[in-house]
Amino acid sequence: MLRTSRMELRLDHFKMLYKRKLQVPAAFIVFTLQACSLLFVPLRADAELLYPQAILKAKEAADAVLGSTGTEGCLQGKLMNAMVAFSYSCDAAGKKNNVCNFADNFIMAGVLPLAQMDDASQQFLKLSAF
């Protein structure tokens, strides 16, 4: 009987630990997945974009941010991925202009809240207007 009690206690303990794991806020899980995608996706998918394609993609992402066409997390990822791809294309094309410097600084700043992304999008669009 004593052995069964210990087994039941252990089982209850594992159940409790399992339930605690499920209580992790969904926002934290989503944020973590987005952060991971920012690290890996641009390196594979967008590294080979040509400069004109990359600047168009970055402009589209900036327009999406200004138009609030998505959730904050999606817009953060979209703009960051576009800026990373654009920065890579600047390096590949050997360009060192204000727009490329802006993209590099944007990446170094990390993921911004929506209000700051609006400002950054407006600045990018002004700099990239030809």
Side-chain angles (χ1 to χ4, degrees):
M1 178 109 176
L2 184 61
R3 179 168 258 181
T4 306
S5 299
R6 286 184 182 173
M7 298 267 301
E8 288 176 2
L9 286 174
R10 286 182 182 164
L11 184 60
D12 288 341
H13 180 70
F14 286 122
K15 285 180 183 177
M16 184 176 65
L17 289 176
Y18 182 73
K19 287 180 182 176
R20 283 186 184 169
K21 285 183 183 178
L22 292 179
Q23 293 176 353
V24 174
F28 176 77
I29 294 169
V30 170
F31 177 76
T32 303
L33 292 173
Q34 288 173 346
C36 290
S37 71
L38 291 176
L39 294 174
F40 299 112
V41 172
L43 295 177
R44 284 184 310 133
D46 295 333
E48 297 180 17
L49 284 180
L50 299 175
Y51 183 84
Q53 294 169 324
I55 199 164
L56 287 176
K57 183 176 179 181
K59 286 180 178 182
E60 289 172 4
D63 286 334
V65 168
L66 293 173
S68 298
T69 57
T71 64
E72 182 174 4
C74 288
L75 294 171
Q76 288 169 331
K78 186 174 196 162
L79 189 58
M80 182 61 79
N81 286 340
M83 289 295 179
V84 169
F86 179 65
S87 178
Y88 286 156
S89 71
C90 287
D91 291 342
K95 296 196 181 267
K96 301 287 181 205
N97 54 33
N98 289 338
V99 185
C100 294
N101 291 336
F102 180 85
D104 290 339
N105 291 336
F106 181 87
I107 294 165
M108 295 303 291
V111 179
L112 303 173
L114 193 56
Q116 290 178 342
M117 285 189 345
D118 282 345
D119 294 339
S121 295
Q122 288 174 352
Q123 287 177 323
F124 178 79
L125 292 172
K126 285 178 187 174
L127 288 172
S128 63
F130 311 16

